[in-house]
Amino acid sequence: MKKNIPMAIVFVLGVAFIIQFFIPSRPSQVAFNTMIEWDLIIYVFASVIAVDSLVRHHILKISRKSRGWGYSLVYLGAAVFMILAAVFSGTREGSFYMKVFNYALAPMQATMFAILAFYMASASYRAFRAKSTEATMLLISAFIVMLGLIPQGAAIWSGLPKLSEWLMLVPNMAAKRGITFGIGLGITATSLKIILGIERNWMGGH
Amino acid sequence: MPKIKYAILLMLFLLPALAPALEPPTDVKLTDAPNDDGSIVIMEWQPSPSENEPGFMGYNIERSMLPNDSFQMIAWVPKGAVEHEDNSVEAIGRNHYYKVVAINQNGDSAVSAVAGPIATTQSWFNTGKLNTLFGTFLFIAITLLYIYWARKGKLFIRRISGLDAVEEAIGRATEMGRPILYCNGIGLIDSISTVASLNILGQVAKKTAEYDTPLTVPTADPVVHAVAREMVKEGYKSVGRPDLFKEDSVYFITQDQMGYAAALAGIMVREKPATNFFMGYYAAESLVLAESGAATGAIQIAGTDQISQLPFFITACDYTLIGEELYAASAYLSKEPLLVGSLKGQDACKLIIILFVLLGTLAALIFRSDLIYSLFSIH
């Protein structure tokens, strides 16, 4: 019963929404949009469970004095601080809460994003080492593409930008489309397996 | 002198009258758009002959439910346009009238003849998706056929090194006495790649339960967190080790993309997991995660259907499941005949798609017909 009811719901709704995909009429669109909106109800309950798990995790770390428990203390302190800031100053533009958000959280997010540049440099170094024939081909292709995108490339040889464009639009695009076909079929097959009850891992196994 | 003054004033007064009058667009045609919910009317017209004159700006589109009154402007299109799609019709089945008004910089306007009436209808089947319907039925039939064959006997599936490495990676973590980190990405539960990732998590949880290896699953979405926790719990239960499951091993971090990346990088550096799994939907944070993990010396297995992130994972991880391999993982790891059958069905359909692409390309090159293009287009 515990598994049959969810499976029945998934089957009925799965088939219903496959049919819905082919019906453009207004009742069909309304039904689809209403179901999508129901997500919000699930999200509210799931958020309570999620926040509970997060707080529990950090309290446990602090109480056990696990490695890095100080970070957990900082986290819980910051969370309580932000909640109090939101309660007492409000969340409007110019409030204390928004100032902390704009001048502390946003720069931290931007910093994390900026670190990507360094990671990209180290990853490129590893990717472009000509250890094999394939890696050498990758290195040469990348060199042509990068050179073709800057004015110096055209100055060296006028055909370089066109060669760069061809590499991106023909061999690169062909590989991307091949992968996209596979992904499309994979998505359809996984959906079908779930709708037909063949794949039951999402319910915690067979 | 006064006579010259009067003559200039008279000329200024008569000049606009001497300029050619703004002419309206003509022959406004209305069509009810096919395959829609009744909210679209397609308009076409012959452009105003004044379009080439200086100062001509474009056309106002006006609509009313009465033929001679209450016209209201619903859109503006620049000069050169000869068609417009009004997708804001609300009263299905009721008459609507349209006018196209030419406008120039002086504020002059020239109104076309009233077009209509037109009453829209809603479609109960989108004929533009007939090819998709055919493809869906074909795919379902082939998959079911292969599932039937899989039940009868063993089907061969090619080796996927990234999935073969899963057991090895779990074994390595067990030997080293260090935890396994499993990341589901930043996708929501409605993303199929997240569902595929959760399916793999179920298999990984069973193996970690068998080997008694600690498993850490930090999540970035509340619903994914709830499902992941149940899957890990059930995984431990299914191999008879429910006592090993720790409630705080699966926990929510944040929905913020870079916050999630920072937290995971911190976990990797502090807890030094022996194995990192990155499965599901990833965006810019993929390289932060994969490079942080590589720096700690962990064995890393990644899988995503985000083509733009695949190069980063391929570069920084030991094994990468490319696109469809992510969806094949559950079947490959479980070796369940039903799942393996569906995997073979998927491969057969891929072969059919390749044949269709070849045939379609040849047909389009030889016949150059709209029918060929429409056969391969989805509306």
Side-chain angles (χ1 to χ4, degrees):
Chain A
M1 203 64 166
K2 193 185 159 194
K3 291 198 170 171
N4 287 345
I5 292 175
M7 273 176 60
I9 294 171
V10 167
F11 178 77
V12 171
L13 289 179
V15 172
F17 281 102
I18 289 175
I19 296 168
Q20 188 278 330
F21 177 75
F22 296 98
I23 303 172
S25 69
R26 214 159 274 189
S28 153
Q29 300 301 323
V30 170
F32 178 76
N33 292 329
T34 309
M35 289 296 283
I36 296 294
E37 281 169 16
W38 286 359
D39 266 11
L40 286 174
I41 302 166
I42 299 167
Y43 257 91
V44 171
F45 288 104
S47 298
V48 174
I49 298 168
V51 172
D52 173 66
S53 85
L54 180 61
V55 174
R56 265 173 207 270
H57 175 77
H58 288 289
I59 288 175
L60 270 172
K61 265 186 116 174
I62 295 166
S63 62
R64 286 177 191 157
K65 294 266 190 302
S66 310
R67 185 185 286 182
W69 66 273
Y71 295 107
S72 296
L73 204 63
V74 171
Y75 164 74
L76 287 177
V80 172
F81 176 77
M82 285 303 273
I83 292 167
L84 290 177
V87 169
F88 290 111
S89 79
T91 54
R92 286 185 185 169
E93 199 57 51
S95 64
F96 176 69
Y97 171 85
M98 282 310 289
K99 277 181 185 158
V100 178
F101 185 88
N102 289 331
Y103 300 122
L105 194 71
M108 282 196 279
Q109 288 171 327
T111 308
M112 276 307 291
F113 208 89
I115 287 172
L116 258 181
F118 298 101
Y119 284 131
M120 221 171 261
S122 66
S124 305
Y125 172 72
R126 229 174 309 148
F128 295 147
R129 270 183 302 180
K131 285 188 295 185
S132 59
T133 319
E134 289 90 346
T136 314
M137 279 170 71
L138 183 70
L139 174 68
I140 295 167
S141 310
F143 188 72
I144 293 169
V145 169
M146 285 192 278
L147 208 57
L149 289 174
I150 55 171
Q152 285 81 351
I156 295 166
W157 177 46
S158 60
L160 214 54
K162 277 192 176 172
L163 183 61
S164 159
E165 198 184 333
W166 179 84
L167 277 171
M168 291 304 285
L169 291 179
V170 182
N172 175 58
M173 191 60 80
K176 273 170 98 170
R177 285 192 179 152
I179 296 171
T180 309
F181 275 133
I183 291 169
L185 283 172
I187 288 174
T188 317
T190 306
S191 309
L192 191 65
K193 280 186 278 185
I194 292 170
I195 290 168
L196 295 178
I198 297 165
E199 176 74 80
R200 296 177 195 185
N201 263 318
W202 60 276
M203 285 196 304
H206 294 262
Chain B
M1 276 305 269
K3 278 184 182 174
I4 296 169
K5 242 187 213 176
Y6 287 131
I8 292 169
L9 278 172
L10 193 68
M11 273 177 70
L12 284 171
F13 183 73
L14 289 174
L15 207 61
L18 294 173
L22 185 64
E23 290 188 61
T26 52
D27 199 18
V28 181
K29 282 182 189 160
L30 307 173
T31 319
D32 177 20
N35 300 320
D36 73 332
D37 60 352
S39 64
I40 302 174
V41 169
I42 299 165
M43 302 175 68
E44 287 171 293
W45 61 85
Q46 291 299 317
S48 159
S50 313
E51 262 206 8
N52 296 326
E53 284 167 19
F56 189 91
M57 288 173 71
Y59 304 98
N60 280 346
I61 310 292
E62 295 183 358
R63 186 182 70 198
S64 171
M65 290 176 79
L66 299 166
N68 300 316
D69 196 14
S70 309
F71 275 89
Q72 284 191 333
M73 182 184 152
I74 53 161
W76 180 85
V77 288
K79 80 173 188 181
V82 287
E83 58 180 19
H84 174 71
E85 195 177 277
D86 172 21
N87 54 10
S88 60
V89 177
E90 284 181 1
I92 301 169
R94 298 204 35 203
N95 285 344
H96 289 83
Y97 300 86
Y98 287 84
K99 285 196 295 197
V100 182
V101 185
I103 305 282
N104 70 12
Q105 270 177 345
N106 300 330
D108 300 330
S109 59
V111 185
S112 72
V114 173
I118 185 164
T120 58
T121 52
Q122 52 185 331
S123 310
W124 291 93
F125 180 73
N126 187 343
T127 49
K129 287 179 179 169
L130 255 175
N131 51 4
T132 315
L133 184 68
F134 170 74
T136 309
F137 276 127
L138 187 71
F139 182 74
I140 292 173
I142 291 172
T143 307
L144 293 177
L145 191 69
Y146 271 96
I147 288 170
Y148 173 74
W149 283 337
R151 273 182 171 167
K152 284 191 157 183
K154 206 177 170 184
L155 288 175
F156 169 78
I157 45 174
R158 74 177 168 90
R159 291 180 71 83
I160 301 172
S161 54
L163 294 172
D164 285 336
V166 169
E167 196 136 355
E168 179 200 326
I170 296 170
R172 183 176 182 261
T174 312
E175 281 169 17
M176 293 172 83
R178 295 211 318 234
I180 288 170
L181 181 71
Y182 193 100
C183 309
N184 287 304
I186 58 164
L188 306 181
I189 198 73
D190 56 7
S191 154
I192 298 289
S193 55
T194 306
V195 176
S197 163
L198 288 166
N199 286 336
I200 302 169
L201 173 63
Q203 303 292 340
V204 170
K206 280 179 195 168
K207 291 202 181 344
T208 54
E210 279 171 20
Y211 297 143
D212 190 9
T213 313
L215 175 67
T216 307
V217 188
T219 55
D221 178 71
V223 179
V224 172
H225 163 261
V227 179
R229 199 173 74 158
E230 282 309 303
M231 293 197 70
V232 174
K233 203 173 178 178
E234 285 293 324
Y236 276 73
K237 213 191 271 181
S238 68
V239 292
R241 303 300 305 269
D243 52 307
L244 291 178
F245 173 69
K246 291 189 184 88
E247 284 285 343
D248 71 320
S249 61
V250 185
Y251 56 96
F252 171 72
I253 291 184
T254 173
Q255 283 182 296
D256 181 80
Q257 181 193 18
M258 285 299 152
Y260 181 66
L264 287 185
I267 292 166
M268 286 181 223
V269 171
R270 283 192 299 276
E271 296 178 15
K272 297 227 167 0
T275 304
N276 296 332
F277 287 97
F278 305 115
M279 303 284 180
Y281 178 93
Y282 289 86
E285 76 288 351
S286 65
L287 192 60
V288 176
L289 301 177
E291 278 290 298
S292 302
T296 63
I299 184 166
Q300 304 200 103
I301 303 174
T304 186
D305 60 357
Q306 294 304 298
I307 296 175
S308 54
Q309 305 307 320
L310 279 170
F312 299 132
F313 278 142
I314 291 169
T315 307
C317 294
D318 299 281
Y319 300 96
T320 305
L321 303 177
I322 299 171
E324 62 181 321
E325 290 176 345
L326 174 71
Y327 299 106
S330 178
Y332 192 92
L333 291 171
S334 69
K335 305 273 190 293
E336 291 260 347
L338 287 177
L339 294 174
V340 172
S342 66
L343 200 60
K344 289 296 286 184
Q346 207 174 309
D347 277 350
C349 288
K350 212 190 307 173
L351 194 68
I352 292 170
I353 284 184
I354 292 168
L355 286 174
F356 269 110
V357 168
L358 286 173
L359 284 174
T361 311
L362 282 173
L365 283 170
I366 296 165
F367 301 111
R368 288 176 175 266
S369 141
D370 284 345
L371 181 71
I372 303 292
Y373 291 114
S374 66
L375 272 177
F376 292 92
S377 306
I378 298 169
H379 303 282

